[in-house]
Amino acid sequence: METAEQIKEMVREKYGAIAENVKPKSSGCCSGEVYFVGDSYAQVEGYVADADLGLGCGIPTEIAQLREGQTVLDLGSGAGNDVFVARRIVGESGRVIGVDMTAAMIERARANAEKLGYANVEFRLGEIENLPVEAHTADVVISNCVLNLVPDKAKAFAEIARVLKPGGHFSISDIVLEGELPAKVKHLAEAYAGCVAGALQKPEYLEIAERNFVGVRVAKEKEIHLPDEILRQMLDEATLNELQTSGSRLLSITVYGEKATGN
């Protein structure tokens, strides 16, 4: 089994390669591989195509209740896609900070921001489990299909609580499991959507969030279906039947939660 540091190094290598080589928009969630499970940003105000590497599994800004003048923190900000969408909403009086652990992503995001002339966005190199952000900085924390890649999710949510202002909230899109996928199917899903490798069971994910937040709820949910033609190419009939009768599901969820006002 890989250690936390080995997992982080693999993530840095993969995302560094993605940052330096433009991938098709149909790339896989959290992987830059083959299969896309995210939502289209094409009609979202503030969308910048050059900043969209096709790595998300939702649109967290839809649920984030952003308002003009707020400070927003985007975890795993990549090339800046959600940062620029958030900036459109919080306006010139607001501020958006993106944090990413991959230096090449930070470089690409900063170049995008410079081209756009945005003075109220910034990108910081750092890890979600040890955020380079002072306590009580953000009104809202957003993230898009990144926490799956974090080995210590409990520490990640504790850090989110630390950097949020009292009464602040988060909106996080991520991948979870419901029921146990057959081993062959889980391996196939990981190959097509890399973030599945770190997916927790949905109740466990929500329980971790509830340790630090109140009002935790799944605001949006959709099932991720691997194409039938792919499944039939990769699975024997017995495994396919096991999947179809297991009741297990691979889900994209957007979770909302609030930091208590007294914390």
Side-chain angles (χ1 to χ4, degrees):
M1 180 179 294
E2 292 115 348
T3 67
E5 284 307 313
Q6 286 173 327
I7 292 169
K8 290 176 184 179
E9 188 55 36
M10 284 190 293
V11 171
R12 286 190 188 96
E13 289 180 7
K14 173 172 278 190
Y15 280 79
I18 293 171
E20 292 167 357
N21 299 281
V22 176
K23 298 292 180 179
K25 291 299 188 294
S26 58
S27 60
C29 157
C30 310
S31 70
E33 296 291 343
V34 180
Y35 185 58
F36 178 63
V37 301
D39 296 326
S40 172
Y41 275 76
Q43 304 305 315
V44 177
E45 289 191 34
Y47 171 66
V48 177
D50 286 347
D52 183 7
L53 302 182
L55 300 171
C57 57
I59 305 179
T61 50
E62 286 183 333
I63 312 299
Q65 301 177 22
L66 300 180
R67 301 191 308 274
E68 190 170 346
Q70 288 181 322
T71 296
V72 181
L73 176 63
D74 180 22
L75 306 183
S77 49
N81 189 32
D82 288 297
V83 167
F84 300 138
V85 172
R87 188 234 178 235
R88 169 66 177 79
I89 302 170
V90 302
E92 295 291 343
S93 62
R95 177 187 179 203
V96 188
I97 304 166
V99 173
D100 202 283
M101 68 184 291
T102 305
M105 282 293 187
I106 293 293
E107 183 179 345
R108 184 161 179 171
R110 288 172 177 167
N112 284 331
E114 185 175 352
K115 282 191 298 183
L116 293 163
Y118 291 163
N120 60 337
V121 303
E122 64 174 297
F123 296 92
R124 301 179 184 179
L125 183 66
E127 298 181 0
I128 294 174
E129 295 149 307
N130 186 26
L131 289 168
V133 180
E134 293 183 0
H136 304 166
T137 293
D139 296 291
V140 184
V141 169
I142 60 175
S143 187
N144 196 348
C145 211
V146 173
L147 261 65
N148 268 286
L149 303 169
V150 176
D152 190 341
K153 294 174 179 58
K155 190 172 182 182
F157 273 106
E159 275 290 272
I160 292 169
R162 181 184 67 81
V163 300
L164 274 171
K165 298 174 183 178
H169 60 270
F170 71 79
S171 175
I172 294 174
S173 297
D174 226 332
I175 299 293
V176 294
L177 297 171
E178 205 170 67
E180 290 294 337
L181 292 171
K184 288 183 181 179
V185 176
K186 190 168 189 293
H187 178 74
L188 177 61
E190 289 171 2
Y192 275 78
C195 52
V196 177
L200 296 179
Q201 290 290 325
K202 180 180 172 183
E204 181 183 1
Y205 190 100
L206 298 178
E207 188 274 327
I208 292 173
E210 288 166 351
R211 295 176 194 173
N212 296 284
F213 297 94
V214 299
V216 174
R217 60 185 175 88
V218 177
K220 188 174 181 180
E221 175 178 304
K222 70 173 183 179
E223 186 171 358
I224 298 168
H225 296 278
L226 293 176
D228 286 345
E229 62 271 21
I230 297 297
L231 290 172
R232 293 192 179 279
Q233 287 175 18
M234 304 295 290
L235 302 178
D236 56 49
E237 285 300 318
T239 304
L240 186 58
N241 183 65
E242 182 184 358
L243 172 63
Q244 292 170 340
T245 58
S246 68
S248 60
R249 300 195 299 162
L250 182 62
L251 302 172
S252 164
I253 61 173
T254 299
V255 183
Y256 175 93
E258 300 173 350
K259 181 176 177 177
T261 54
N263 293 342

